[in-house]
Amino acid sequence: MIRLADQKPTITSRPIPLRTAKRKVDTLIREEENDPPRASQKFLKTRNGFKASTPAASTQPSAKPEPEASRPWMERFAPVSISELAVHKKKVDDVRSWIEGVVCGARRNQRLLLLKGPAGSGKTTTVQLLARVLGLRINEWRNPTGTMQSDEGFVSMSAQFEDFMLRSGTFGTLDLVGDGSLNPKSSHSSESEKRMILIEEFPNTFSRTSPALQSFRKAVQLYLESSAPSPSSFSKAPKPATPIVMIISETLLSTSTAAADSFTAHRLLGPEILGHHAVTTIEFRPIAPTIMAKGLNLVLEKEARASGGKKKNPGTALLKSIAEIGDIRNAISTLEFYSLGKGSSSFMPSLPLNKDAEGTTDVDIRSSTLDLFHAVGKVIYNKRTDPQAAQPPPHLPHLARPLKPPITPDALLTELGADTSTFVATVHENYVPSCKSFSAEDELDSLCACADTLSDADILSPDRWSGNGVGASAQALRQEDLSAYVAIAGVSFNLPYPVKRAEPHGGYRKGNANHILYPISLRVWRRVEEIGEMVEQVVARMKGNGEWGVGLSGDAGGDRVKPELILERLPYLAQIERGRQRKAGGFPSSMTDLSKVVMFGRGIREKGGDDDEDEPNGEQWTTDAPDDWRKPQKAGWVRSKGTVGKVTEKVDALVLDDDDIED
Amino acid sequence: MPESSTTAARNGLKPSTSNAPYELPWVEKYRPIILDDIVGNTETIDRLKVIAKDGNMPHVIISGAPGIGKTTSILCLARQLLGPAYKEAVLELNASDERGIDVVRTRIKNFAQKKVTLPAGRQKIIILDEADSMTSGAQQALRRTMEIYSNTTRFAFAANASNKIIEPLQSRCAILRYARLTDAQVLRRLQQIATAEKVEVTDDGLAALIFAAEGDMRQAINNLQSTAAGFGLVNGDNVFRVVDSPHPIKVQAMVKACYEGKIDAALDSLKELWDLGYSCHDIISTMFRVTKSIPALSEHAKLEFVREIGFTHMRILEGVQTYLQLSGCLARLCKINMKPALFKLPSRDMI
């Protein structure tokens, strides 16, 4: 970020307040007029705040300590250098090499970098810091404030966006005739500085067909087409142009309710752009506990330095549970919340995060996965301690349970942070190993009974008919309660006591019997949606002018025909196409889509199915790697495809993504 | 609501306005003014008190069921933090206000940009009540605002389900989850109000209020007020007349009759309830709540009862609101605990 470099001389030469200096610089470079100070200024502030105690900074009388101290920790103590970044090093290197490559021309055909990942995984910070190190100026799109009125708002905003893209694009190419040196010191003095477009705010795009979304995509596509050379003109060595970095916070783990309106790269950009050759996607993961712990420690140190006090010690138990959040922003604010104690250097006593103290978790860890797994554990371990008050009549001896669980389903549900459908799905994912019993007959009985109650719970769940708006919401809630009650009571009634979890068989991962898995069904929705859209694309193309010489009758896209199409026609079509292409020698992009549909279609059926008993394919939640199950297929596919250059390149890019963040 | 000194509202016993020309809803009249008066969730409230004293409120999301003091505690916190500047420095928007994306872009941003002189460590507060009903577009538009103005403005969200708030916002906040109030907590506050209002309350009246409220303080107080206004005396029968749900004791008798296999007795009680004019919804949901809490039922019976009630509830929700459905449900409940042998068809050679 060039502003930073610029700023130093300003400060030393004239003793104007930091803020004013900053604002000046800001206004100078601002493309969009009268916006409030940017978010990126937090790094400036951080730096000031951080160095407040060093002699150099303290000579500046103008540094305002008061507003500094009033900012939240996550901004005051944000990382100031790449080494402080709590992101896996490899990921940072990936981003860095992409940006470097595009700017200096090693990857001239790349234009758009898509960073996606859960909120608080350090995407924005990584880009900001890298830009500073590489001496790039960030040109950021911001949604305009209140400039447009009411109904025509979206349209005018997307017009503004198109304008922005066009101008920054042209600007970029005009500007960038420099020598491409990477030295930030020389680049800020010369006029030939490099720039980068950062898009983090998007038009309101929550319906698939909204004009705002369409025009947004069009603007991006236009940019890609105009500035990126096509792969055929590879040899011409185009001028390095301004890269775009888009940052998208995606939801990884989604419940059925949230899935409908969550925000994914796919929904925003659509398959055409995502599949464009000038686009690279790098996916961030939740931050691993070890890295997170380091980051939190750093924050605590900075805090001690800033406040001049002793380093606060939150205790290892608290730190550990906070470190498991995976979202650094939330982790830091949770830490800050806990540190608001009476004594300034101590944490509040009686930390409720202690796992043994049941039911007092009043500060919630985000995503509530901890609570979820805790609650699920209570069901599938079927702890029974208290003597049962009532027994069934003597003619039903096999239904007697001498002990009862210490916690009623109701209490469990009130304690539960997640919504009930997620909870029931997680129980469903995990109950099977608990059914392990000495005799196979008992095991099967318990398995059947559990499956039976879970299936009933599923039928009872109001999610099923959410479409036609049955009943008032209060009644639907009651129905949800009923469903959850049946699931919880049913599973814990039918599990053997005491539970002895079976080891996972089949050598799937080095799984441990005690691991609780996150329901895979809630994970694949994103992929399902992507593939669904791809199928539609293929169908549309087939319907078109018979490009592939397949006359497809009118209603071929209908729901009834689709399975047949996917299962029986497309695989052969892909084979035929492949042969034909090999003869012709080309490799049009339509081919990629087709093979993807065929390939993924198989993947989903195998892995996303409901037969978890045979194939425990859920993931261990701690590693949180939704992509891992795709990996083997990818590899297999590459092998079978041999030497199709472009595709292999694509797959390589994906494999690169699949690193495991955890140390 | 007028400013009040901290002494005025000790223990919520004194109404917050005196000499009102008309009677305020008691919920408003006895809404706590300071954090100390809030019932339940003591650990979280203690922390909020520390914030109220020291300032520097983080962004927060408070989530939990209705009527457990989410909004109240945010309002108290804001009042204690900002003191006389409360009016100027707090923007409160709830679901009844327009909160589309335009409001976020204009009204909230304008408020965030507004200059208000506040003591060190105090920030303006934007309270977004019922935040889970905001569209995700509007929530997306908030992300940046939260970051840019965080040195002068803090956000407080109240929501029934924190998972309806988009992740980027959750990521920026400390999430506080409020537990349901216990019956004892609701009881204590009801007694205080009844004393302050000089209402005659019987024990079973209080029990009925608590049963009907299901941990929702607001509903309990409202029911108390309506019963007091309508009947004068607050006893069990009057309360259930006001809340218009079947008396749980009758329903309990019915379920117990089923457990013992006495189908005729069960059907009689059902007929009685039906003739009183209760709807299918009311009867079946009271059955569910009662069944969960009868200690005399065995675990197996409870499970099967709830399952049957669930299926009937589902049918009723789908529109089959008939007496027949309820009778059928009772008959199946009776069958659960009877000897399976009774239901065997006579074997072939006997015919």
Side-chain angles (χ1 to χ4, degrees), chain B residues 69-272:
Chain B
K70 301 184 295 292
T71 315
T72 306
S73 48
I74 294 181
L75 289 177
C76 289
L77 176 63
R79 208 175 283 122
Q80 277 174 265
L81 262 178
L82 301 170
Y86 176 78
K87 276 221 169 65
E88 261 188 294
V90 172
L91 175 69
E92 189 194 349
L93 297 172
N94 61 31
S96 62
D97 297 302
E98 236 234 283
R99 284 189 306 194
I101 198 158
D102 292 343
V103 174
V104 172
R105 290 223 182 95
T106 55
R107 203 160 149 207
I108 293 182
K109 272 203 180 171
N110 287 343
F111 180 80
Q113 285 164 342
K114 194 170 95 174
K115 259 271 186 266
V116 179
T117 335
L118 293 170
R122 302 291 190 272
Q123 291 90 10
K124 283 174 291 172
I125 298 177
I126 297 182
I127 299 174
L128 292 168
D129 210 347
E130 291 140 62
D132 41 0
S133 67
M134 289 174 75
T135 61
S136 32
Q139 294 186 34
Q140 290 280 359
L142 269 180
R143 298 170 31 177
R144 241 5 165 25
T145 318
M146 286 178 72
E147 262 173 15
I148 296 170
Y149 303 104
S150 67
N151 54 343
T152 59
T153 310
R154 297 294 156 84
F155 282 78
F157 301 89
N160 284 344
S162 65
N163 58 7
K164 292 265 169 59
I165 293 178
I166 59 165
E167 289 210 17
L169 287 195
Q170 288 190 35
S171 162
R172 286 166 173 78
C173 298
I175 302 178
L176 316 178
R177 193 150 49 81
Y178 275 26
R180 262 181 196 281
L181 301 179
T182 63
D183 290 352
Q185 287 165 336
V186 179
L187 174 70
R188 218 178 107 244
R189 184 47 58 89
L190 284 178
Q191 280 171 331
Q192 286 171 346
I193 293 176
T195 329
E197 292 285 336
K198 302 193 182 57
V199 183
E200 202 180 330
V201 191
T202 64
D203 283 352
D204 71 322
L206 286 173
L209 285 171
I210 289 167
F211 178 86
E214 293 184 72
D216 180 343
M217 180 73 89
R218 180 166 35 212
Q219 208 188 349
I221 296 176
N222 277 335
N223 288 339
L224 174 69
Q225 188 177 15
S226 344
T227 318
F231 298 95
L233 173 70
V234 180
N235 63 18
D237 291 340
N238 288 344
V239 169
F240 282 110
R241 226 167 282 167
V242 164
V243 297
D244 195 27
S245 72
H247 203 301
I249 295 190
K250 285 187 183 136
V251 178
Q252 187 169 0
M254 186 170 83
V255 174
K256 267 201 175 137
C258 291
Y259 183 66
E260 287 151 11
K262 297 178 189 151
I263 179 74
D264 290 329
L267 284 174
D268 283 348
S269 354
L270 176 64
K271 180 79 178 140
E272 194 186 332

Side-chain angles (χ1 to χ4, degrees), chain A residues 70 201 330 371 456 479, chain B residues 144 154 173 177 307 313:
Chain A
S70 72
E201 288 185 14
N330 189 252
D371 294 42
D456 278 351
Q479 187 69 42
Chain B
R144 241 5 165 25
R154 297 294 156 84
C173 298
R177 193 150 49 81
R307 200 198 297 230
H313 191 267

